[in-house]
Amino acid sequence: MNGLGVPLVTPFDGTGSVDHDALADLAAWVIDEGADFLVPCGSNSEAELLTAGERAAVVETVVEAVPADVPVLAGTGSPGLRETLDATVRAADAGADGALVVTPFYYDHDQADFAAYYREVAEQSPLPVYLYSVPAYTDVRLDPRTVESLATHPNIAGMKDSAGDLAAFQRTREYTADADFELFVGSGGVFAAALDAGADGGILAVSNVVPERADEIAELHTAGKDEAARDVNRRILDLDHAVTAEYGVPGLKAAMRSRDRPAGIVRSPHRPVDDDAAAELAALVDEALP
């Protein structure tokens, strides 16, 4: 996998059930707008609010909604090994191409625990494993040296780094440079800078809202127009901040609805943003578009 990945939101209908038709429409739209691969059942998908069966069904819907050559990287991580492996097998059965496995959370673990855990997952996983470090949700992060120790495992294919720490990202890239290891940035605010630093691409929440803008950054970088890529990145900074750090998934879905995109409602305990926030988000979307 490389290029732009979209960590798809999960649309819910008025009853709180997964709206599979809306999800299929969303998957097809972001691919049409330039996304290279899709990531269902991640943080922006409200995956921790889905049952195990719902997760598998979401992955299956996404796989079926896009052409066969579009890779699908399914979020399968849970705090424990057994839950993670069960979700990974289900994702493989649903047609996923890889498993995005978040760092174990809830209990305290050190870097040695993380390394051992990922090796256990990789040894038993039917899919290539991608590490996922997202400190904003887990309060832990993978150290670049830990990633280095895992990068040469034959069934560990890469990593999504959502820490937003560009210096640590660069160290991770340096330490894994000789491995067959795909490194993706998960923070839209530093997308262009991370590409400059050797990222293989990005998996960005904001690409649910403005996938064409995120794709433009990647295309400009590929063409060697790095300053132009950084200019476009600057245009989405405020929107990216609003749909991640400020308003989270409820804001992300509100921003999508301002473009009449199939976001659906949020699932409890999330609550929709108020009218003022929705208006603010719509204005930010307008600023980010041509």
Side-chain angles (χ1 to χ4, degrees):
M1 301 184 200
N2 58 70
L4 176 62
V6 180
L8 291 168
V9 305
T10 305
F12 300 108
D13 63 22
T15 70
S17 299
V18 176
D19 187 336
H20 288 275
D21 290 339
L23 177 61
D25 289 346
L26 175 62
W29 174 63
V30 297
I31 291 299
D32 287 344
E33 292 296 331
D36 297 297
F37 62 100
L38 300 179
V39 188
C41 298
S43 301
N44 294 290
S45 314
E46 299 171 85
E48 292 302 322
L49 308 181
L50 297 172
T51 67
E54 285 175 328
R55 283 194 183 197
V58 162
V59 174
E60 185 173 13
T61 293
V62 172
V63 168
E64 293 178 350
V66 296
D69 61 348
V70 174
V72 174
L73 176 60
T76 64
S78 286
L81 177 68
R82 290 193 177 192
E83 301 96 320
T84 295
L85 289 173
D86 177 73
T88 302
V89 169
R90 288 172 181 253
D93 291 344
D97 301 287
L100 182 66
V101 179
V102 70
T103 49
F105 54 93
Y106 191 83
Y107 295 109
D108 290 335
H109 303 288
D110 61 20
Q111 295 294 313
D113 293 332
F114 294 144
Y117 168 78
Y118 277 115
R119 290 190 185 96
E120 285 184 289
V121 173
E123 291 294 337
Q124 300 178 62
S125 171
L127 295 172
V129 171
Y130 288 74
L131 318 177
Y132 181 23
S133 182
V134 56
Y137 291 134
T138 63
D139 201 34
V140 297
R141 68 182 62 201
L142 287 174
D143 184 90
R145 288 297 187 190
T146 303
V147 180
E148 178 187 26
S149 73
L150 295 167
T152 56
H153 190 288
N155 203 34
I156 294 179
M159 176 181 178
K160 177 186 178 183
D161 182 354
S162 293
D165 183 339
L166 191 57
F169 187 90
Q170 290 174 301
R171 290 172 60 216
T172 301
R173 178 75 291 172
E174 178 184 352
Y175 298 161
T176 60
D178 294 331
D180 184 11
F181 188 80
E182 299 163 6
L183 183 59
F184 298 101
V185 66
S187 303
V190 297
F191 186 29
L195 291 171
D196 290 345
D200 292 293
I203 301 173
L204 313 174
V206 73
S207 60
N208 281 281
V209 188
V210 287
E212 64 270 55
R213 272 300 188 223
D215 176 61
E216 185 179 5
I217 295 168
E219 291 294 329
L220 286 168
H221 171 78
T222 299
K225 300 177 180 179
D226 292 335
E227 183 56 39
R230 290 190 288 271
D231 285 342
V232 176
N233 207 154
R234 282 190 282 270
R235 289 186 60 178
I236 67 170
L237 282 178
D238 289 342
L239 176 62
D240 178 76
H241 178 79
V243 301
T244 55
E246 189 169 0
Y247 295 113
V249 175
L252 178 60
K253 288 188 168 183
M256 293 171 65
R257 285 194 295 272
S258 78
R259 295 197 70 186
D260 295 323
R261 299 309 173 192
I265 64 172
V266 291
R267 181 170 273 188
S268 183
H270 286 313
R271 291 290 181 266
V273 300
D274 61 26
D275 290 345
D276 288 343
E280 176 191 346
L281 287 157
L284 292 174
V285 170
D286 288 342
E287 291 174 10
L289 291 172

